[in-house]
């Protein structure tokens, strides 16, 4: 999972030791945790839409389980205020489904999916990918969303989209950022330089592993 450690009143000249009940990263290697090895690509919006819809409708099959999706929603709620309730609790599977399933045909005939709705869908799908481990927050990408090129890590890209959606701004850019991450070079809106192979490393390489220092 994702954890935040907040320390107050610490003299940084002192030695700091942190003990955990499990290995975070050994000195020898940073092997992908169980269940993540072999994942090489982000899933599209339709992947998450179909899997959430299948479970809500009680249909069998599919790649995700109710438990895995609810786990993802818990992780997302810790990171993104857009996708949690006012009391801080995670979205329910039904709430996530309501966001992902919005379409022009679900409202009045002849209506169109708004840019805001599309941005909300694509960004929720991108955060599902991040929570599920199909993409790494530290992967550096170059995207070409509306409003100009973005270069930085996937997490930085999603935080920019989050800021736009929370504070107002170029919603097309917020939508495109997540759309291009989710499509990973496969969709028409995705830049040619972003390919699935870039998502193969879901944990930092050995050189980026944190080590305890005195």
């Amino acid at each position: 999972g994702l954890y935040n450690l907040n320390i107050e009143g610490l003299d940084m000249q002192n030695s700091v030791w942190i003990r955990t009940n499990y290995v975070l990263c050994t000195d020898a290697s940073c092997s992908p945790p169980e269940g993540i090895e072999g994942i090489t690509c982000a899933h599209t919006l339709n992947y998450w839409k179909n899997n959430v819809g299948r479970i809500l409708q009680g249909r069998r099959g599919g790649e995700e389980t109710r438990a895995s999706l609810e786990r993802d929603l818990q992780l997302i709620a810790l990171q993104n205020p857009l996708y949690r309730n006012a009391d801080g609790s995670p979205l329910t599977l039904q709430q996530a489904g309501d966001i992902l399933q919005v379409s022009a045909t679900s409202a009045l005939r002849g209506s169109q999916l708004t840019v805001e709705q599309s941005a909300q869908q694509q960004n929720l799908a991108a955060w599902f990918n991040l929570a599920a481990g199909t993409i790494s927050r530290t992967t550096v990408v170059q995207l070409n969303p509306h409003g100009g090129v973005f270069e930085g890590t996937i997490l930085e890209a999603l935080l920019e989209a989050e800021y736009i959606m929370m504070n107002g701004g170029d919603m097309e850019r917020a939508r495109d950022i997540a759309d291009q991450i989710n499509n990973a070079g496969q969709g028409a809106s995705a830049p040619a330089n972003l390919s699935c192979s870039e998502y193969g490393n879901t944990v930092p390489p050995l050189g980026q592993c944190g080590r305890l220092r005195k």
Side-chain angles (χ1 to χ4, degrees):
L2 304 175
Y3 296 85
N4 291 323
L5 178 62
N6 299 314
I7 302 176
E8 297 181 2
L10 175 67
D11 184 347
M12 294 305 293
Q13 300 302 316
N14 293 337
S15 298
V16 179
W17 301 93
I18 300 174
R19 183 186 298 274
T20 65
N21 294 327
Y22 49 86
V23 176
L24 298 177
C25 180
T26 68
D27 287 337
S29 66
C30 280
S31 300
E34 182 179 357
I36 290 183
E37 188 170 10
I39 295 176
T40 58
C41 260
H43 295 310
T44 64
L45 167 61
N46 281 338
Y47 172 92
W48 296 109
K49 179 187 297 186
N50 293 337
N51 273 278
V52 170
R54 175 187 60 79
I55 291 173
L56 290 175
Q57 295 166 17
R59 294 184 284 114
R60 296 183 179 181
E63 299 82 4
E64 302 292 332
T65 64
R66 177 178 287 273
S68 71
L69 291 171
E70 290 180 341
R71 176 209 62 195
D72 293 341
L73 288 170
Q74 289 178 340
L75 294 175
I76 293 169
L78 292 174
Q79 296 291 302
N80 192 325
L82 285 169
Y83 302 113
R84 61 176 175 238
N85 293 302
D87 62 358
S89 63
L91 296 181
T92 64
L93 205 57
Q94 183 63 61
Q95 287 175 312
D98 290 342
I99 293 172
L100 296 173
Q101 300 294 333
V102 171
S103 66
T105 57
S106 65
L108 295 175
R109 185 172 299 276
S111 65
Q112 294 184 347
L113 189 68
T114 67
V115 177
E116 289 79 6
Q117 290 170 324
S118 181
Q120 193 174 32
Q121 287 181 327
Q122 290 288 354
N123 276 273
L124 178 54
W127 280 94
F128 261 122
N129 278 313
L130 198 62
T134 62
I135 56 177
S136 169
R137 59 176 49 207
T138 58
T139 297
V140 176
V141 293
Q142 183 181 76
L143 308 175
N144 189 27
H146 186 268
V149 172
F150 170 89
E151 290 189 49
T153 66
I154 283 180
L155 180 59
E156 289 169 341
L158 292 178
L159 289 178
E160 179 180 328
E162 175 188 313
Y163 181 85
I164 293 171
M165 295 170 70
M166 291 185 66
N167 297 282
D170 189 346
M171 294 299 292
E172 289 185 67
R173 181 175 179 83
R175 177 200 61 198
D176 291 351
I177 285 173
D179 184 10
Q180 291 178 15
I181 289 173
N182 293 334
N183 282 284
Q186 301 176 62
S189 64
N193 74 295
L194 190 61
S195 64
C196 292
S197 62
E198 294 186 59
Y199 293 128
N201 186 22
T202 57
V203 293
L206 179 59
Q208 296 182 29
C209 292
R211 292 181 173 82
L212 293 176
R213 292 183 175 89
K214 188 173 180 180

